[in-house]
Amino acid sequence: MLVLLLLCTSGLLLRGDAQDRAALWRRDDRNGRCQYTFSVPSPTEASCPQTGGPEVEGLKARLSLLEVLVSRLTGGDTGGPQGATARDQTELHQSLNRVTGERNLLQGEKERLEQELEGLQRRMEEMRRERLRNKPCPLQTPAVPPSPPLQDSGLTRPAGDSAWQTGPQGFQELKAEVTEVPAPDGSEENTGCGDVVSVGEPVTHRKADTIAGKYGVWMQDPEAVSPYGPNMIWRIDTIGSDVRQLYGYEDMEQLTKGFPSKVLLLPELVESTGSTLYRGSLYYQRRRSRSLIRFDLASESIAARRELPHAGFHGQFPYSWGGYTDIDLSVDEQGLWAVYSSSKAKGAIVISQLDPNSLEVKRSWETNIRKNSVANSFIICGKLYTVASYTSPDTIINYMYDTRTSQGKSVAIPFKNKYRYNSMIDYNLAQRKLFAWDNFHMVSYDLRLGRQE
């Protein structure tokens, strides 16, 4: 780039012309750029009137501005406006980083406050439920004095005699009229048989070792008979075509460690997950039949065998998850029960109370809920409860049928399937808990029952 240095004479900006007196110099400046200099003497003045007068100062100012502009274009002056721009950019980046950091801090504070708000809302809901549970019970008609366990099952009492008889519209009021108590450990002063109020979180005790244990049943005898103690835990893995091994563990700790103290080979094959234990005997359904078997643990032999009249079997009326769960046996405070369906009942759940010695049906109840519409069921205090789903992690107990009043109603008690494939749910009278087999895992649930006044 060429820079013209213009010299002033007579206060005018002059250009070199064809005059003989004009002179031209060319040389490199200190920055290595080619510089041309013209010199034209004044025809009227022997010397400049003022050195550095206003005109010259103005010209210098314009030349300085020109040099600045040239420096900007060439980028050669890092200390000029471009340097200032770089500093401005650095300051902008620093400001942006500060703003970003403050935004992240505010976002974190927002998330923390939202979590605290959710916690407070859950606490308020718990307090509201606690107030409902602790609400004083209104005066009611005195309850009928309890009879011995089997006679108090309500098998011969007319439905109208029960002070608890109520339709679905009265369910919320009924819940408010019971006092919630923790499930006891079997002590006689805590043997309430009110409705189930809530089910606790699942507690995992063991995971099955092989594919045969994807489905199974584990149980405890509430009235154990010698030579086995009351803490003995039993299990059957029910996957396979030759299901007949019954494993016994001295207590829950040995089950958790996986050390069985007894292995029994059953004389007949087992069908699905509906087995139970009671008074020293294993009760189970024989494979591919409606026959029920009572196997005596002490003598290791069959003590009784009987067909369950008209009961569906081998996939005719199972629970919704399948698994040939047509007949489900269970034990509660009132004895031995069978849950099943039949062609006569058109798929609706039938409940039968059985004689524990002969397996004869003592009395039956037909409900109005279809067996294949529910995932599983259990019986507590003569009341059947059904679970809505076997895979949903957060499902509900959706129906309850009271054999004492011969009345059923819808309920909505939260229930969790932790491992999302629950193939067995039974009431363990010995511990007053629920035992379940959830996708290889043996789990238990604490129960909270209401006490009938």
Side-chain angles (χ1 to χ4, degrees):
M1 177 181 290
L2 300 179
V3 179
L4 299 180
L5 179 60
L6 305 180
L7 301 179
C8 172
T9 59
S10 301
L12 300 174
L13 184 62
L14 303 177
R15 294 176 297 182
D17 53 21
Q19 297 182 12
D20 295 337
R21 292 172 296 177
L24 173 66
W25 291 274
R26 185 180 69 179
R27 65 176 180 178
D28 293 336
D29 64 4
R30 60 184 179 181
N31 293 325
R33 294 177 295 183
C34 182
Q35 178 175 286
Y36 291 85
T37 303
F38 295 88
S39 178
V40 181
S42 171
T44 59
E45 297 176 345
S47 63
C48 293
Q50 288 184 352
T51 301
E55 293 85 355
V56 175
E57 294 301 324
L59 181 60
K60 288 182 179 180
R62 289 194 292 275
L63 288 173
S64 297
L65 180 59
L66 179 61
E67 290 178 351
V68 169
L69 294 174
V70 171
S71 297
R72 285 187 178 181
L73 293 173
T74 61
D77 186 4
T78 59
Q82 186 176 9
T85 301
R87 288 193 298 272
D88 291 342
Q89 290 179 348
T90 301
E91 292 177 358
L92 285 173
H93 280 297
Q94 292 175 350
S95 299
L96 179 61
N97 291 336
R98 286 195 299 270
V99 171
T100 302
E102 292 175 357
R103 184 196 66 182
N104 293 337
L105 289 176
L106 291 174
Q107 184 67 25
E109 185 68 14
K110 176 186 175 184
E111 293 176 356
R112 185 184 65 82
L113 292 175
E114 288 176 348
Q115 292 175 356
E116 291 183 357
L117 178 60
E118 291 178 0
L120 289 173
Q121 290 175 343
R122 288 194 299 268
R123 179 57 182 161
M124 290 174 64
E125 181 64 18
E126 292 174 358
M127 293 175 65
R128 185 186 68 82
R129 294 179 179 177
E130 189 70 23
R131 285 196 298 269
L132 286 176
R133 289 194 293 264
N134 294 332
K135 181 180 178 181
C137 296
L139 294 176
Q140 297 188 15
T141 305
V144 178
S147 305
L150 287 177
Q151 285 73 18
D152 190 38
S153 62
L155 301 180
T156 58
R157 181 179 300 161
D161 290 349
S162 174
W164 288 88
Q165 183 177 357
T166 177
Q169 294 181 350
F171 174 59
Q172 294 298 330
E173 180 181 358
L174 176 62
K175 289 183 65 177
E177 293 176 358
V178 297
T179 302
E180 185 179 1
V181 296
D185 295 326
S187 56
E188 293 186 358
E189 64 271 20
N190 290 320
T191 56
C193 260
D195 293 349
V196 171
V197 175
S198 66
V199 178
E201 294 288 327
V203 177
T204 304
H205 299 276
R206 179 166 176 76
K207 182 179 180 181
D209 302 313
T210 66
I211 187 63
K214 178 176 176 62
Y215 313 144
V217 55
W218 68 304
M219 50 207 154
Q220 185 175 2
D221 193 340
E223 297 182 26
V225 176
S226 179
Y228 304 109
N231 296 324
M232 196 82 173
I233 304 293
W234 300 85
R235 62 173 273 201
I236 303 174
D237 298 341
T238 60
I239 291 286
S241 58
D242 189 28
V243 179
R244 63 171 70 235
Q245 289 182 319
L246 175 64
Y247 298 90
Y249 302 83
E250 289 184 354
D251 51 33
M252 192 72 76
E253 181 180 359
Q254 296 303 310
L255 171 75
T256 302
K257 294 178 179 179
F259 301 145
S261 59
K262 187 70 174 180
V263 180
L264 298 178
L265 192 65
L266 301 175
E268 300 282 358
L269 297 181
V270 178
E271 183 86 299
S272 197
T273 61
S275 305
T276 192
L277 280 169
Y278 188 47
R279 296 179 179 175
S281 293
L282 172 72
Y283 297 85
Y284 69 96
Q285 176 191 356
R286 182 179 177 272
R287 181 176 172 84
R288 293 181 178 271
S289 76
R290 61 172 61 93
S291 294
L292 305 182
I293 293 177
R294 174 191 165 204
F295 178 78
D296 182 73
L297 298 178
S299 64
E300 300 182 13
S301 63
I302 294 178
R305 181 200 303 261
R306 186 178 297 273
E307 285 196 350
L308 186 59
H310 312 295
F313 64 94
H314 204 65
Q316 290 180 309
F317 303 107
Y319 291 125
S320 60
W321 74 271
Y324 303 128
T325 51
D326 299 76
I327 299 176
D328 192 5
L329 303 174
S330 61
V331 170
D332 74 344
E333 292 81 357
Q334 298 177 11
L336 179 64
W337 301 87
V339 176
Y340 59 101
S341 188
S342 65
S343 298
K344 181 181 178 181
K346 299 180 181 180
I349 290 180
V350 177
I351 309 169
S352 290
Q353 190 170 35
L354 306 179
D355 184 288
N357 295 315
S358 66
L359 300 177
E360 291 183 65
V361 174
K362 299 169 63 176
R363 184 177 174 185
S364 296
W365 296 258
E366 184 176 319
T367 70
N368 58 3
I369 186 169
R370 296 183 64 83
K371 191 166 184 289
N372 63 6
S373 70
V374 298
N376 226 304
S377 71
F378 55 91
I379 297 180
I380 301 177
C381 300
K383 300 171 185 175
L384 173 80
Y385 296 86
T386 64
V387 179
S389 172
Y390 61 93
T391 56
S392 174
D394 295 294
T395 185
I396 59 170
I397 297 171
N398 61 347
Y399 181 81
M400 189 271 282
Y401 185 92
D402 191 345
T403 59
R404 186 166 65 97
T405 63
S406 299
Q407 297 292 322
K409 62 184 178 182
S410 297
V411 296
I413 303 170
F415 186 90
K416 292 185 180 295
N417 295 310
K418 184 175 182 180
Y419 301 101
R420 303 193 178 191
Y421 207 103
N422 215 328
S423 60
M424 165 255 173
I425 304 173
D426 272 337
Y427 176 52
N428 181 348
L429 176 58
Q431 298 186 26
R432 302 208 76 184
K433 296 182 178 183
L434 292 182
F435 273 19
W437 195 293
D438 192 356
N439 201 10
F440 293 96
H441 297 83
M442 284 152 269
V443 299
S444 66
Y445 301 78
D446 287 334
L447 290 170
R448 297 176 72 87
L449 304 178
R451 182 184 295 275
Q452 289 181 342
E453 297 294 340

